């Protein structure tokens, strides 16, 4: 079993409901268990500004699915929840990204591990620091230190997530 961090984001069709539904779908995957989920964070869109604010969260899974099988499963959940690509860096009903897969490093066409943008995205780092403050990201350092290095942040936690 590996410990895997997933980033969740939505800014269409009831974002809180989308994230809740995706967390349940993740917990229901074969050989997989949801261990922790952060609160929901409201964030300004990275990319075109003429789209709604996002809700973001991060969760921790334990899984026996290998990375590309897990990626297939995440993409199936995205399709299931009606994700359609509207434009580059545009609005979406649900986005699921593998942030970390244990300490695995990988650079393939479909998947880069750790996720390239973790350290640059406040809407990933803040929820990650909430659930695992002592976590070290290979090559990048400790999550808490990366959070301190953020210049400004427009990411605001919503009410506590009581689901997990
Ligand atoms: N912006 C925010 N704030 N949160 C996201 O999850 C997010 N996801 C994306 C793009 C469109 C790049 N911007 C985002 O894919």
């Amino acid at each position: 079993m590996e410990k895997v961090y997933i980033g969740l984001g939505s800014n269409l069709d009831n974002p809180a409901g989308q994230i809740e539904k995706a967390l349940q779908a993740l917990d229901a995957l074969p050989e997989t268990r949801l261990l922790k989920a952060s609160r929901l964070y409201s964030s300004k869109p990275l990319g075109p500004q003429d789209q709604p604010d996002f809700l973001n969260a991060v969760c921790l899974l334990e899984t026996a699915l290998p990375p590309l099988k897990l990626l297939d499963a995440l993409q199936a959940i995205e399709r299931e929840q009606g994700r359609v690509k509207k434009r580059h860096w545009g609005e979406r009903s649900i986005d699921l990204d593998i942030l970390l897969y244990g300490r695995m490093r990988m650079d393939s066409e479909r998947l880069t591990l750790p996720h390239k943008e973790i350290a640059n995205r406040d809407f990933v780092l803040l929820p990650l620091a909430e659930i695992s403050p002592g976590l070290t990201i290979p090559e990048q350092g400790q999550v808490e230190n990366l959070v301190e290095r953020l210049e400004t942040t427009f990411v605001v936690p919503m009410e506590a997530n009581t689901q997990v």
Side-chain angles (χ1 to χ4, degrees):
M1 297 291 262
E2 284 283 1
K3 296 268 166 58
V4 179
Y5 289 89
I6 307 288
L8 304 94
S10 169
N11 70 343
L12 278 187
D13 306 332
N14 179 17
Q18 294 284 351
I19 289 179
E20 189 47 49
K21 201 170 163 197
L23 288 170
Q24 286 172 14
L26 290 169
D27 194 35
L29 290 177
E31 305 177 272
T32 302
R33 203 156 56 101
L34 178 64
L35 299 181
K36 274 188 201 173
S38 73
R39 292 176 291 179
L40 300 178
Y41 289 73
S42 171
S43 61
K44 293 285 169 207
L46 172 67
Q49 292 300 297
D50 61 336
Q51 60 179 318
D53 284 358
F54 276 80
L55 281 185
N56 284 106
V58 164
C59 72
L60 172 62
L61 304 177
E62 191 170 58
T63 188
L65 295 176
L68 292 176
K69 285 271 181 275
L70 180 61
L71 182 62
D72 289 339
L74 299 189
Q75 291 177 347
I77 295 170
E78 289 177 343
R79 279 195 301 277
E80 184 80 11
Q81 293 188 212
R83 172 158 170 188
V84 252
K85 182 149 191 180
K86 304 216 161 163
R87 52 174 167 164
H88 184 60
W89 282 24
E91 44 281 270
R92 66 259 333 258
S93 54
I94 191 72
D95 190 16
L96 301 173
D97 288 328
I98 305 176
L99 303 171
L100 293 168
Y101 187 98
R103 304 200 57 81
M104 186 177 296
R105 304 235 246 131
M106 175 162 170
D107 201 350
S108 77
E109 206 174 304
R110 288 191 69 202
L111 186 59
T112 300
L113 295 171
H115 191 290
K116 281 203 181 89
E117 294 300 326
I118 297 181
N120 306 325
R121 295 190 170 172
D122 47 9
F123 58 82
V124 172
L125 283 180
L126 288 166
L128 201 51
E130 177 195 327
I131 63 172
S132 294
L135 180 72
T136 343
I137 300 169
E139 314 276 280
Q140 314 252 27
Q142 205 166 324
V143 169
E144 280 174 316
N145 296 333
L146 297 171
V147 166
E148 276 166 27
R149 245 176 270 156
L150 291 173
E151 301 262 309
T152 51
T153 173
F154 298 98
V155 178
V156 184
M158 317 281 284
E159 72 280 26
N161 181 357
T162 52
Q163 208 48 45
V164 181

